[in-house]
Structures are given as C-alpha cells and as structure tokens.
Amino acid sequence: MSKSRKKVTKCSTNNIHCMDNVHTKSSDSTEFAIKASHLHKSFRLPTERAAGLKQAIFNWLKGVKGYTEQKVLDDVSFEIKKGEFVGIVGRNGSGKSTLLKILAQIYYPEQGSVEINGTLVPFIELGVGFNPELTGRENVYLNGALLGFSHKEMDAMYEEIVQFAELEPFMDAKLKNYSSGMQVRLAFSIAIRAKGDILILDEVLAVGDAAFQEKCNKYFSSLKGSKQTVILVTHSMDNVRQFCNRAILIEKGKIATEGNPETVAKAYEGLWD
Amino acid sequence: MVEVMGIPHILCRKNRILLGELVKTDFKLRYQGSVLGYLWAVLRPLLTFAILYIVFAKLLRMGNDIPHYPVYLLTGTVLWSFFTECTGQGIQAIVQRGDLLRKISFPKYIVVVSATATALINLAINLCVVVIFALINGVSLSWSWFVVPFLVLELYTLSLGISFLLGAINVKYRDVTSIWDVLIQALFYAIPIIYPLSMVLESSSFGLTAARIIMLNPIAQVIQDVRYNLITTETITAWEILPGSLQMVPILLVFLVLALAALFFRKRSKRFAEEV
C-alpha cells in the first residue's frame, strides 16, 4: 500500500517540473492549460504539545502522535482549457487556497498530479518580496526579478509602471514611508505587466479603494477579451458572474459544483441558507 | 527528463536573474541605516583583530616565533569571520525568506546561496586588506598566492554544506540557531587561530596527537594552508603533520558534508513552504 502511494507522489513531482515538455501530450481539438488529477493533500494539526522533553518521550512511548491529519484536498480533479477564465470559490478553509498553491507548485500534493501546459505566473499575493527598507524603485526591480524579468526588461517597463501607479514623485522614497494604498498600486502596476500563458490570481481584488477597484475590473475585462487563461480565487460572486466562463465550488476539500458561473454562484450563496 | 532542484536550474535564466537580484538586495540591506555603511565590512574584522592582537600577541606574548605574526593573525580572523558570517546567514536564510517561499515557486537553494554571497563579497574585500597589510609588513609577492582562491573555494563549499544541512533542520527546529551559536564558540578554540599550532605540539607528551586531531578539521586545514601560501612557509600545515593515509580526510569531510547536505536539503525542501 505504502509503496504504491510513494510511486504516485513521485510521478506527480516529475509532472510538476516538466512544465515545458507537456505540449505534445494533448491531442484534443481544444488544448488544456492545466490538468489536475486526483489531488490529495492533508496537513498535520498539532493536538497535544509536549511541554518538555519528559512529556515528549512519554508521548512517544505511549504512541501519542501529537497531531491529527486534516484532509484539505480530497481527490480533486479538473481540467482547464486554454483561454478559459475560471473562478474558484468556496468558504474560508474549504481548501481553495491550498489548491491554488499546488497549481502554482508551491505545495506538493501527496497524491495525484498536475500537468501544466505553458508558463504559469502566480499571484498568491501582490508585491511578493517587497522590502520596506528599499526604495520604490528598488522594489520594482526586485519584484520584477521574482516574476522572472531581467534588469534590462524592467528598464523598458519602468516608466510605464510608475505612470500607471501614479507614483512618479515617490519612487526614491523608502517603501516603509508609502501608504498601504500606494504600495498596492505599485505592486498591481508591476503585476499586470507580467505575461504568462496562465495567470493565477488569489483575491487580489480584495484591496484598494473604489478607483483601484475600477482599474482592477478594467484589467480583468481586458484579460477576458484577450483570451488569456486565468484562474481566479474570489469571494465576490459579482466577479464570478462578470468575468468567468466557468466556475468551480470547493467545499470541504472536494469539488461540490462545477460549470456555469451563474449556477455555481447560486450554489455558493446557498451554502448559508 | 527529470530536473528537480538539480544543477541545471542554476543555469536557467530566470534563476540567475533572481539570484543576482537577491544578492544585490541582501548586500544593500546589510549596512542599511549605518553612517559608515560598507566600511563596516572591513572595520569589523580589523577591530576584532586589534582586540586579539593586543590580548594575545602583546599581553600574552604568543606567536613570537612566527614571522609576520600580526598578518598571520589577521588572516586567521578574516577567514574565521567569513565562516561564521557565511554559516550564520546561510542557516537563517530559509526562515528569513519564508515569505517568498510561501508565495512563489522557485528552487529553494537560491535563497541559501544568495544569503551566503554577501559573506563571500565581504571576504574578497577583507582579503584585499590582508594583502595590503602583508605587503606593508614586508611579506614578499609569491606565485603561491594563486592557491588561495582554491582554498577559499574549499571553505565556501564547507560553509554552504553546513548552511544547507542545518538550514533545512532549522525550518522545523529553530533550536539549531542557538546550538550553532554555542558550537561555533567551541570551534573557535579548536582551531589554531589565536594560538600557533606549535604551542599545541610542544605542550605535552601527546601534543602531536592533539595537533593532528585539530588539523583533521577542514577549517583548520584551510586557515593554515592560506597562511602557508600567503604569509610564511613556517606555518605548520595538515599536509606536513598528518600521516599520509589521513592527509585527504579534511577535503573528504568537505565533500561528505556537501553531499549529505544536498541530499537532505533536496528531500526536505518540498515541504519548506508549508513548514516555514
């Protein structure tokens, strides 16, 4: 049992890293962008913490494990086609962020595999790597490097980023002196320059003022219009209805409903009633 | 083709960009907010050296039999502070960059290498200071100076190995940082940095055995070899004191640590994002 399980894990690991080699695999007329099959993931939750060495040895002798396995994803499979705008919804703790992190290759699934066709740019959070002690300018280049842009490429984009963020006078000030709104504007301006075959967005809409929200909405509309493959995790059913071609509702680590955005949004809203 | 966390990654363009930018950031941030800034990279080992020199060379009158003893001492302290800085930063790297690991996917070793790179830059600056001091002190130029980079490479390899190994454990058990702090104190006295090895040799009847055990340590071997090639051939090296069969032990130890560390780090790194 344990042997066969090990084999599956290994296979998934290989798949995950062969991002660019998957192109030939699909023979369907509509090419897939992401294929997730039978994903399992659980986390260990500590229950009984050993207060000291004595207790730890005691627990070990008695066979108390000190944690329980919490199943976060339980046999999740789906396929996302190229050009689709897919919304992933679910309540807090339903496992959607874990799923996203597995798709972004940050977490590894215990079982199952993810096949990715093309380059993938994940935005689990805006402004990853932003350092308060660096200036706005330095942070732009650092964040760019984390997204895979060289210094030269960032040079070409720099003016545009600063203009879009409306932060021209502040670029040589340290980030710690920015307001949180300014930080988000800067991060977002860099993010929308990142071009990948697949974009993964985790609740990036949840921040900023009304004007910023407006900018986000325009950005999403443009993504939808340009047939960009997007996976969006959100709590806003308005966004699901407005932008998504398809949606997936996750509940207790399983896919509860999948398909038409309207149906899924209704199902999500029905979770409380 | 499987290329998981392997060497091919370092050649990949995206990883090179990332490594370069992280090194730049670390270096910029290191002396952030200090008036003297980068000057501290040179000042710190020089001041440490000054203390050790006053205490050990002047008050305790050690090293009278060694030519150019002040530079000899400085070489030792510079290499030692490189080792402590390198491992100190390297072990902390994964935990300190936890925010990155949790949000984007990239080979984790980049974080460790970037954290140790600053120490390597500092060492380069400090070795320039050593060379200037050596020339002032009347040490003559020699072809054997070209051996020094290879010895530095050996020491850096060892530091990287220790950083990977202990850094990976440190993610789950933060005790490692504290244990390493104490261990490094003990290690300092187990290496002939402030005392000359000849003192151990002459100390008692089993002085030779003690000196041999000391010289099995790759750090001691590197420091003595650098002194031999850079300052004075009157340095006692591992090659001179160890019997033939044991001469390769220090270098083998370095590779053993690195191999173990690479295997362990590779295995553990898959879970760093969850555990850090």
Side-chain angles (χ1 to χ4, degrees):
Chain A
M1 166 66 207
S2 78
K3 205 173 179 184
S4 73
R5 185 174 160 160
K6 212 169 184 180
K7 208 172 171 187
V8 178
T9 317
K10 199 168 179 190
C11 143
S12 76
T13 319
N14 292 354
N15 278 336
I16 262 178
H17 280 272
C18 295
M19 285 164 46
D20 305 317
N21 309 340
V22 210
H23 289 278
T24 50
K25 279 201 173 175
S26 167
S27 54
D28 303 37
S29 53
T30 43
E31 261 192 300
F32 76 92
I34 292 183
K35 195 187 273 172
S37 29
H38 308 289
L39 295 177
H40 287 264
K41 181 80 189 170
S42 48
F43 289 121
R44 287 174 174 183
L45 296 180
T47 47
E48 200 172 344
R49 234 195 132 74
L53 195 61
K54 198 176 79 182
Q55 186 69 38
I57 293 169
F58 221 69
N59 281 352
W60 181 68
L61 286 175
K62 279 197 296 184
V64 177
K65 273 193 289 184
Y67 60 82
T68 51
E69 294 261 334
Q70 160 109 7
K71 196 105 194 171
V72 187
L73 290 180
D74 189 0
D75 200 27
V76 172
S77 305
F78 59 86
E79 198 179 305
I80 290 170
K81 301 243 172 357
K82 281 199 166 169
E84 270 192 315
F85 201 124
V86 178
I88 296 181
V89 298
R91 300 207 301 202
N92 286 332
S94 59
K96 55 187 180 340
S97 286
T98 306
L99 175 61
L100 220 58
K101 284 192 172 182
I102 288 176
L103 296 183
Q105 297 151 44
I106 296 166
Y107 288 173
Y108 288 77
E110 271 133 30
Q111 283 181 59
S113 65
V114 178
E115 280 178 64
I116 289 159
N117 189 0
T119 57
L120 181 142
V121 182
F123 289 107
I124 304 301
E125 193 183 275
L126 282 176
V128 172
F130 267 19
N131 192 309
E133 293 293 335
L134 294 175
T135 66
R137 182 191 304 273
E138 289 165 335
N139 271 306
V140 169
Y141 284 91
L142 178 60
N143 193 238
L146 287 166
L147 295 173
F149 295 116
S150 72
H151 207 274
K152 228 180 188 168
E153 288 168 302
M154 288 309 287
D155 280 338
M157 287 185 264
Y158 183 75
E159 285 306 316
E160 221 184 316
I161 290 170
V162 176
Q163 263 172 30
F164 190 79
E166 299 162 27
L167 287 171
E168 283 98 336
F170 307 106
M171 290 315 287
D172 288 311
K174 282 188 182 175
L175 197 76
K176 62 180 175 187
N177 299 326
Y178 280 33
S179 73
S180 47
M182 286 157 78
Q183 291 187 20
V184 169
R185 254 150 57 202
L186 187 60
F188 186 76
S189 307
I190 306 166
I192 62 168
R193 298 290 176 303
K195 298 273 187 296
D197 298 329
I198 306 158
L199 282 182
I200 289 188
L201 306 162
D202 191 1
E203 319 237 35
V204 285
L205 303 148
V207 283
D209 56 11
F212 180 72
Q213 292 286 324
E214 185 56 40
K215 266 187 180 175
C216 284
N217 285 345
K218 263 191 202 147
Y219 170 60
F220 284 121
S221 296
S222 75
L223 286 181
K224 196 183 179 184
S226 65
K227 284 282 167 195
Q228 165 86 46
T229 313
V230 182
I231 301 172
L232 173 72
V233 164
T234 182
H235 283 294
S236 154
M237 289 309 119
D238 289 341
N239 283 323
V240 171
R241 290 189 174 103
Q242 202 178 339
F243 302 116
C244 298
N245 316 113
R246 197 152 69 87
I248 297 170
L249 172 65
I250 296 192
E251 179 66 6
K252 290 183 184 139
K254 289 183 183 197
I255 294 180
T257 321
E258 187 184 350
N260 187 301
E262 186 57 45
T263 327
V264 173
K266 281 233 172 73
Y268 177 77
E269 282 154 356
L271 285 176
W272 295 276
D273 307 323
Chain B
M1 210 203 82
V2 190
E3 39 149 2
V4 190
M5 297 284 307
I7 297 138
H9 270 301
I10 196 108
L11 307 167
C12 153
R13 180 173 165 277
K14 194 180 167 188
N15 294 336
R16 255 184 300 136
I17 293 170
L18 183 56
L19 181 62
E21 203 65 31
L22 287 179
V23 170
K24 249 191 269 173
T25 310
D26 277 345
F27 195 68
K28 250 185 260 172
L29 288 174
R30 178 61 61 86
Y31 298 103
Q32 184 76 246
S34 69
V35 181
L36 295 177
Y38 300 135
L39 211 54
W40 279 115
V42 180
L43 274 178
R44 231 176 15 182
L46 275 183
L47 292 175
T48 320
F49 157 74
I51 296 166
L52 294 175
Y53 181 68
I54 291 166
V55 174
F56 290 95
K58 289 291 161 204
L59 298 179
L60 296 175
R61 306 215 162 272
M62 274 183 186
N64 281 342
D65 51 338
I66 295 170
H68 314 292
Y69 184 66
V71 201
Y72 184 90
L73 185 61
L74 181 66
T75 313
T77 56
V78 159
L79 288 170
W80 175 253
S81 61
F82 163 69
F83 177 73
T84 51
E85 189 188 349
C86 203
T87 50
Q89 298 290 332
I91 291 170
Q92 287 290 322
I94 296 288
V95 172
Q96 268 172 5
R97 291 277 184 195
D99 58 328
L100 289 189
L101 302 191
R102 261 181 268 117
K103 276 146 207 164
I104 49 168
S105 151
F106 61 93
K108 315 293 183 255
Y109 71 82
I110 287 187
V111 161
V112 180
V113 175
S114 82
T116 54
T118 313
L120 208 54
I121 297 168
N122 285 344
L123 177 68
I125 299 168
N126 284 322
L127 281 179
C128 292
V129 176
V130 169
V131 166
I132 293 166
F133 266 59
L135 293 175
I136 293 171
N137 229 271
V139 177
S140 46
L141 288 161
S142 155
W143 286 110
S144 68
W145 286 18
F146 289 104
V147 182
V148 174
F150 296 100
L151 293 165
V152 168
L153 186 68
E154 187 193 340
L155 189 58
Y156 182 59
T157 310
L158 178 70
S159 311
L160 264 186
I162 292 172
S163 300
F164 279 131
L165 194 64
L166 297 185
I169 304 173
N170 194 42
V171 172
K172 222 174 172 182
Y173 303 100
R174 305 283 159 95
D175 315 43
V176 170
T177 317
S178 310
I179 295 170
W180 184 246
D181 279 349
V182 179
L183 212 62
I184 216 158
Q185 291 286 331
L187 213 50
F188 178 72
Y189 293 103
I191 296 167
I193 297 167
I194 42 175
Y195 57 87
L197 198 64
S198 56
M199 214 176 83
V200 180
L201 277 171
E202 292 151 10
S203 63
S204 64
S205 52
F206 44 81
L208 181 64
T209 320
R212 279 179 173 166
I213 292 171
I214 285 173
M215 289 313 287
L216 284 177
N217 180 343
I219 311 166
Q221 174 249 314
V222 167
I223 289 182
Q224 292 299 86
D225 276 352
V226 172
R227 283 167 164 170
Y228 180 92
N229 287 299
L230 197 64
I231 314 294
T232 168
T233 49
E234 274 171 58
T235 314
I236 305 164
T237 62
W239 314 101
E240 188 186 332
I241 199 173
L242 291 178
S245 55
L246 290 176
Q247 278 182 357
M248 292 308 283
V249 168
I251 288 178
L252 286 178
L253 273 176
V254 171
F255 286 110
L256 187 72
V257 169
L258 187 71
L260 253 173
L263 286 174
F264 184 70
F265 189 85
R266 204 170 123 167
K267 188 162 167 274
R268 299 295 311 168
S269 63
K270 285 182 189 172
R271 284 195 165 254
F272 283 166
E274 296 164 35
E275 288 170 349
V276 76

